[in-house]
PDB file of all heavy atoms in Angstrom:
ATOM      1  N   LEU A   1      20.540   6.635 -76.578  1.00  0.00           N
ATOM      2  CA  LEU A   1      20.578   7.654 -75.531  1.00  0.00           C
ATOM      3  C   LEU A   1      19.184   8.230 -75.298  1.00  0.00           C
ATOM      4  O   LEU A   1      18.321   8.180 -76.168  1.00  0.00           O
ATOM      5  CB  LEU A   1      21.543   8.779 -75.931  1.00  0.00           C
ATOM      6  CG  LEU A   1      23.011   8.380 -76.092  1.00  0.00           C
ATOM      7  CD1 LEU A   1      23.816   9.556 -76.631  1.00  0.00           C
ATOM      8  CD2 LEU A   1      23.569   7.908 -74.766  1.00  0.00           C
ATOM      9  N   GLU A   2      18.977   8.805 -74.119  1.00  0.00           N
ATOM     10  CA  GLU A   2      17.674   9.373 -73.801  1.00  0.00           C
ATOM     11  C   GLU A   2      17.363  10.600 -74.649  1.00  0.00           C
ATOM     12  O   GLU A   2      16.229  10.839 -75.007  1.00  0.00           O
ATOM     13  CB  GLU A   2      17.611   9.731 -72.317  1.00  0.00           C
ATOM     14  CG  GLU A   2      17.502   8.529 -71.417  1.00  0.00           C
ATOM     15  CD  GLU A   2      17.283   8.935 -69.975  1.00  0.00           C
ATOM     16  OE1 GLU A   2      16.778  10.041 -69.728  1.00  0.00           O
ATOM     17  OE2 GLU A   2      17.616   8.129 -69.107  1.00  0.00           O
ATOM     18  N   ARG A   3      18.369  11.392 -74.929  1.00  0.00           N
ATOM     19  CA  ARG A   3      18.182  12.589 -75.747  1.00  0.00           C
ATOM     20  C   ARG A   3      18.983  12.454 -77.036  1.00  0.00           C
ATOM     21  O   ARG A   3      19.951  11.718 -77.100  1.00  0.00           O
ATOM     22  CB  ARG A   3      18.651  13.828 -74.988  1.00  0.00           C
ATOM     23  CG  ARG A   3      17.860  14.089 -73.742  1.00  0.00           C
ATOM     24  CD  ARG A   3      18.281  15.404 -73.128  1.00  0.00           C
ATOM     25  NE  ARG A   3      17.615  15.625 -71.874  1.00  0.00           N
ATOM     26  CZ  ARG A   3      16.479  16.267 -71.736  1.00  0.00           C
ATOM     27  NH1 ARG A   3      15.890  16.766 -72.790  1.00  0.00           N
ATOM     28  NH2 ARG A   3      15.931  16.428 -70.564  1.00  0.00           N
ATOM     29  N   ARG A   4      18.557  13.199 -78.021  1.00  0.00           N
ATOM     30  CA  ARG A   4      19.266  13.158 -79.294  1.00  0.00           C
ATOM     31  C   ARG A   4      20.666  13.734 -79.127  1.00  0.00           C
ATOM     32  O   ARG A   4      20.862  14.752 -78.493  1.00  0.00           O
ATOM     33  CB  ARG A   4      18.516  13.951 -80.348  1.00  0.00           C
ATOM     34  CG  ARG A   4      17.241  13.271 -80.734  1.00  0.00           C
ATOM     35  CD  ARG A   4      16.597  13.953 -81.879  1.00  0.00           C
ATOM     36  NE  ARG A   4      15.346  13.245 -82.166  1.00  0.00           N
ATOM     37  CZ  ARG A   4      14.438  13.683 -82.967  1.00  0.00           C
ATOM     38  NH1 ARG A   4      14.604  14.826 -83.585  1.00  0.00           N
ATOM     39  NH2 ARG A   4      13.347  13.001 -83.179  1.00  0.00           N
ATOM     40  N   ALA A   5      21.620  13.068 -79.719  1.00  0.00           N
ATOM     41  CA  ALA A   5      23.014  13.500 -79.639  1.00  0.00           C
ATOM     42  C   ALA A   5      23.524  13.716 -81.065  1.00  0.00           C
ATOM     43  O   ALA A   5      24.021  12.791 -81.701  1.00  0.00           O
ATOM     44  CB  ALA A   5      23.849  12.454 -78.922  1.00  0.00           C
ATOM     45  N   SER A   6      23.371  14.936 -81.557  1.00  0.00           N
ATOM     46  CA  SER A   6      23.733  15.205 -82.944  1.00  0.00           C
ATOM     47  C   SER A   6      25.230  15.014 -83.189  1.00  0.00           C
ATOM     48  O   SER A   6      25.633  14.630 -84.285  1.00  0.00           O
ATOM     49  CB  SER A   6      23.297  16.612 -83.353  1.00  0.00           C
ATOM     50  OG  SER A   6      23.895  17.571 -82.515  1.00  0.00           O
ATOM     51  N   GLY A   7      26.044  15.265 -82.201  1.00  0.00           N
ATOM     52  CA  GLY A   7      27.480  15.052 -82.362  1.00  0.00           C
ATOM     53  C   GLY A   7      27.817  13.585 -82.605  1.00  0.00           C
ATOM     54  O   GLY A   7      28.607  13.250 -83.494  1.00  0.00           O
ATOM     55  N   TRP A   8      27.221  12.688 -81.811  1.00  0.00           N
ATOM     56  CA  TRP A   8      27.465  11.267 -81.988  1.00  0.00           C
ATOM     57  C   TRP A   8      26.887  10.781 -83.310  1.00  0.00           C
ATOM     58  O   TRP A   8      27.490   9.946 -83.994  1.00  0.00           O
ATOM     59  CB  TRP A   8      26.884  10.464 -80.829  1.00  0.00           C
ATOM     60  CG  TRP A   8      27.696  10.571 -79.576  1.00  0.00           C
ATOM     61  CD1 TRP A   8      27.360  11.231 -78.434  1.00  0.00           C
ATOM     62  CD2 TRP A   8      28.993  10.015 -79.351  1.00  0.00           C
ATOM     63  NE1 TRP A   8      28.367  11.127 -77.505  1.00  0.00           N
ATOM     64  CE2 TRP A   8      29.383  10.378 -78.046  1.00  0.00           C
ATOM     65  CE3 TRP A   8      29.870   9.259 -80.105  1.00  0.00           C
ATOM     66  CZ2 TRP A   8      30.598  10.000 -77.498  1.00  0.00           C
ATOM     67  CZ3 TRP A   8      31.084   8.888 -79.559  1.00  0.00           C
ATOM     68  CH2 TRP A   8      31.440   9.251 -78.273  1.00  0.00           C
ATOM     69  N   ASN A   9      25.699  11.269 -83.667  1.00  0.00           N
ATOM     70  CA  ASN A   9      25.102  10.898 -84.957  1.00  0.00           C
ATOM     71  C   ASN A   9      25.999  11.341 -86.108  1.00  0.00           C
ATOM     72  O   ASN A   9      26.223  10.590 -87.057  1.00  0.00           O
ATOM     73  CB  ASN A   9      23.707  11.506 -85.117  1.00  0.00           C
ATOM     74  CG  ASN A   9      22.665  10.750 -84.333  1.00  0.00           C
ATOM     75  OD1 ASN A   9      22.778   9.555 -84.118  1.00  0.00           O
ATOM     76  ND2 ASN A   9      21.647  11.462 -83.889  1.00  0.00           N
ATOM     77  N   SER A  10      26.505  12.559 -86.027  1.00  0.00           N
ATOM     78  CA  SER A  10      27.394  13.069 -87.081  1.00  0.00           C
ATOM     79  C   SER A  10      28.669  12.229 -87.166  1.00  0.00           C
ATOM     80  O   SER A  10      29.146  11.928 -88.266  1.00  0.00           O
ATOM     81  CB  SER A  10      27.754  14.525 -86.813  1.00  0.00           C
ATOM     82  OG  SER A  10      26.604  15.329 -86.827  1.00  0.00           O
ATOM     83  N   LEU A  11      29.221  11.858 -86.018  1.00  0.00           N
ATOM     84  CA  LEU A  11      30.410  11.017 -86.013  1.00  0.00           C
ATOM     85  C   LEU A  11      30.121   9.673 -86.673  1.00  0.00           C
ATOM     86  O   LEU A  11      30.910   9.193 -87.503  1.00  0.00           O
ATOM     87  CB  LEU A  11      30.917  10.805 -84.579  1.00  0.00           C
ATOM     88  CG  LEU A  11      32.100   9.836 -84.438  1.00  0.00           C
ATOM     89  CD1 LEU A  11      33.327  10.374 -85.164  1.00  0.00           C
ATOM     90  CD2 LEU A  11      32.394   9.572 -82.974  1.00  0.00           C
ATOM     91  N   GLY A  12      28.992   9.065 -86.335  1.00  0.00           N
ATOM     92  CA  GLY A  12      28.632   7.768 -86.923  1.00  0.00           C
ATOM     93  C   GLY A  12      28.493   7.840 -88.433  1.00  0.00           C
ATOM     94  O   GLY A  12      29.042   7.006 -89.170  1.00  0.00           O
ATOM     95  N   TRP A  13      27.767   8.844 -88.921  1.00  0.00           N
ATOM     96  CA  TRP A  13      27.592   8.981 -90.371  1.00  0.00           C
ATOM     97  C   TRP A  13      28.906   9.362 -91.039  1.00  0.00           C
ATOM     98  O   TRP A  13      29.191   8.938 -92.162  1.00  0.00           O
ATOM     99  CB  TRP A  13      26.482   9.975 -90.696  1.00  0.00           C
ATOM    100  CG  TRP A  13      25.137   9.404 -90.380  1.00  0.00           C
ATOM    101  CD1 TRP A  13      24.329   9.773 -89.352  1.00  0.00           C
ATOM    102  CD2 TRP A  13      24.462   8.346 -91.058  1.00  0.00           C
ATOM    103  NE1 TRP A  13      23.187   9.003 -89.350  1.00  0.00           N
ATOM    104  CE2 TRP A  13      23.245   8.122 -90.391  1.00  0.00           C
ATOM    105  CE3 TRP A  13      24.778   7.556 -92.162  1.00  0.00           C
ATOM    106  CZ2 TRP A  13      22.345   7.139 -90.800  1.00  0.00           C
ATOM    107  CZ3 TRP A  13      23.872   6.584 -92.563  1.00  0.00           C
ATOM    108  CH2 TRP A  13      22.670   6.392 -91.887  1.00  0.00           C
ATOM    109  N   GLY A  14      29.728  10.130 -90.364  1.00  0.00           N
ATOM    110  CA  GLY A  14      31.050  10.458 -90.894  1.00  0.00           C
ATOM    111  C   GLY A  14      31.923   9.214 -91.037  1.00  0.00           C
ATOM    112  O   GLY A  14      32.683   9.077 -92.001  1.00  0.00           O
ATOM    113  N   LEU A  15      31.818   8.292 -90.068  1.00  0.00           N
ATOM    114  CA  LEU A  15      32.564   7.043 -90.165  1.00  0.00           C
ATOM    115  C   LEU A  15      32.087   6.194 -91.336  1.00  0.00           C
ATOM    116  O   LEU A  15      32.892   5.507 -91.990  1.00  0.00           O
ATOM    117  CB  LEU A  15      32.446   6.248 -88.851  1.00  0.00           C
ATOM    118  CG  LEU A  15      33.234   6.804 -87.669  1.00  0.00           C
ATOM    119  CD1 LEU A  15      32.887   6.038 -86.393  1.00  0.00           C
ATOM    120  CD2 LEU A  15      34.724   6.746 -87.946  1.00  0.00           C
ATOM    121  N   ILE A  16      30.787   6.243 -91.627  1.00  0.00           N
ATOM    122  CA  ILE A  16      30.276   5.506 -92.790  1.00  0.00           C
ATOM    123  C   ILE A  16      30.845   6.100 -94.074  1.00  0.00           C
ATOM    124  O   ILE A  16      31.264   5.372 -94.979  1.00  0.00           O
ATOM    125  CB  ILE A  16      28.734   5.487 -92.797  1.00  0.00           C
ATOM    126  CG1 ILE A  16      28.247   4.531 -91.712  1.00  0.00           C
ATOM    127  CG2 ILE A  16      28.199   5.086 -94.166  1.00  0.00           C
ATOM    128  CD1 ILE A  16      26.764   4.407 -91.587  1.00  0.00           C
ATOM    129  N   VAL A  17      30.882   7.422 -94.156  1.00  0.00           N
ATOM    130  CA  VAL A  17      31.474   8.066 -95.334  1.00  0.00           C
ATOM    131  C   VAL A  17      32.953   7.689 -95.440  1.00  0.00           C
ATOM    132  O   VAL A  17      33.451   7.363 -96.531  1.00  0.00           O
ATOM    133  CB  VAL A  17      31.287   9.599 -95.270  1.00  0.00           C
ATOM    134  CG1 VAL A  17      32.103  10.304 -96.330  1.00  0.00           C
ATOM    135  CG2 VAL A  17      29.811   9.965 -95.399  1.00  0.00           C
ATOM    136  N   ALA A  18      33.664   7.698 -94.318  1.00  0.00           N
ATOM    137  CA  ALA A  18      35.075   7.318 -94.322  1.00  0.00           C
ATOM    138  C   ALA A  18      35.246   5.857 -94.742  1.00  0.00           C
ATOM    139  O   ALA A  18      36.201   5.521 -95.456  1.00  0.00           O
ATOM    140  CB  ALA A  18      35.688   7.549 -92.941  1.00  0.00           C
ATOM    141  N   SER A  19      34.320   5.010 -94.347  1.00  0.00           N
ATOM    142  CA  SER A  19      34.372   3.601 -94.744  1.00  0.00           C
ATOM    143  C   SER A  19      34.219   3.461 -96.253  1.00  0.00           C
ATOM    144  O   SER A  19      34.953   2.704 -96.895  1.00  0.00           O
ATOM    145  CB  SER A  19      33.263   2.823 -94.026  1.00  0.00           C
ATOM    146  OG  SER A  19      33.154   1.523 -94.525  1.00  0.00           O
ATOM    147  N   VAL A  20      33.275   4.185 -96.824  1.00  0.00           N
ATOM    148  CA  VAL A  20      33.074   4.142 -98.277  1.00  0.00           C
ATOM    149  C   VAL A  20      34.313   4.650 -99.010  1.00  0.00           C
ATOM    150  O   VAL A  20      34.793   4.027 -99.960  1.00  0.00           O
ATOM    151  CB  VAL A  20      31.822   4.958 -98.679  1.00  0.00           C
ATOM    152  CG1 VAL A  20      31.743   5.149-100.181  1.00  0.00           C
ATOM    153  CG2 VAL A  20      30.557   4.286 -98.156  1.00  0.00           C
ATOM    154  N   LEU A  21      34.847   5.779 -98.548  1.00  0.00           N
ATOM    155  CA  LEU A  21      36.036   6.342 -99.206  1.00  0.00           C
ATOM    156  C   LEU A  21      37.244   5.421 -99.079  1.00  0.00           C
ATOM    157  O   LEU A  21      38.017   5.242-100.031  1.00  0.00           O
ATOM    158  CB  LEU A  21      36.341   7.726 -98.626  1.00  0.00           C
ATOM    159  CG  LEU A  21      35.295   8.806 -98.898  1.00  0.00           C
ATOM    160  CD1 LEU A  21      35.658  10.093 -98.178  1.00  0.00           C
ATOM    161  CD2 LEU A  21      35.103   9.032-100.381  1.00  0.00           C
ATOM    162  N   SER A  22      37.419   4.806 -97.915  1.00  0.00           N
ATOM    163  CA  SER A  22      38.533   3.890 -97.710  1.00  0.00           C
ATOM    164  C   SER A  22      38.369   2.639 -98.564  1.00  0.00           C
ATOM    165  O   SER A  22      39.340   2.141 -99.151  1.00  0.00           O
ATOM    166  CB  SER A  22      38.634   3.514 -96.231  1.00  0.00           C
ATOM    167  OG  SER A  22      39.682   2.625 -96.011  1.00  0.00           O
ATOM    168  N   GLY A  23      37.146   2.126 -98.644  1.00  0.00           N
ATOM    169  CA  GLY A  23      36.893   0.962 -99.490  1.00  0.00           C
ATOM    170  C   GLY A  23      37.154   1.263-100.954  1.00  0.00           C
ATOM    171  O   GLY A  23      37.725   0.443-101.680  1.00  0.00           O
ATOM    172  N   TRP A  24      36.760   2.461-101.386  1.00  0.00           N
ATOM    173  CA  TRP A  24      36.991   2.863-102.770  1.00  0.00           C
ATOM    174  C   TRP A  24      38.485   3.003-103.055  1.00  0.00           C
ATOM    175  O   TRP A  24      38.974   2.548-104.088  1.00  0.00           O
ATOM    176  CB  TRP A  24      36.270   4.161-103.081  1.00  0.00           C
ATOM    177  CG  TRP A  24      36.392   4.527-104.529  1.00  0.00           C
ATOM    178  CD1 TRP A  24      37.314   5.328-105.103  1.00  0.00           C
ATOM    179  CD2 TRP A  24      35.567   4.047-105.587  1.00  0.00           C
ATOM    180  NE1 TRP A  24      37.111   5.395-106.456  1.00  0.00           N
ATOM    181  CE2 TRP A  24      36.048   4.613-106.784  1.00  0.00           C
ATOM    182  CE3 TRP A  24      34.464   3.200-105.641  1.00  0.00           C
ATOM    183  CZ2 TRP A  24      35.470   4.361-108.014  1.00  0.00           C
ATOM    184  CZ3 TRP A  24      33.887   2.950-106.870  1.00  0.00           C
ATOM    185  CH2 TRP A  24      34.385   3.518-108.035  1.00  0.00           C
TER     186      TRP A  24
END
């Protein structure tokens, strides 16, 4: 995106955390 989107970034990193927890 042209400007930083902290909401989308937070969602992406949250999905990574959810992926780790689900894998565990």
Side-chain angles (χ1 to χ4, degrees):
L1 297 174
E2 287 186 24
R3 297 186 185 268
R4 290 187 181 169
S6 59
W8 285 109
N9 282 330
S10 298
L11 175 63
W13 288 108
L15 287 172
I16 287 180
V17 169
S19 171
V20 169
L21 294 175
S22 179
W24 185 266

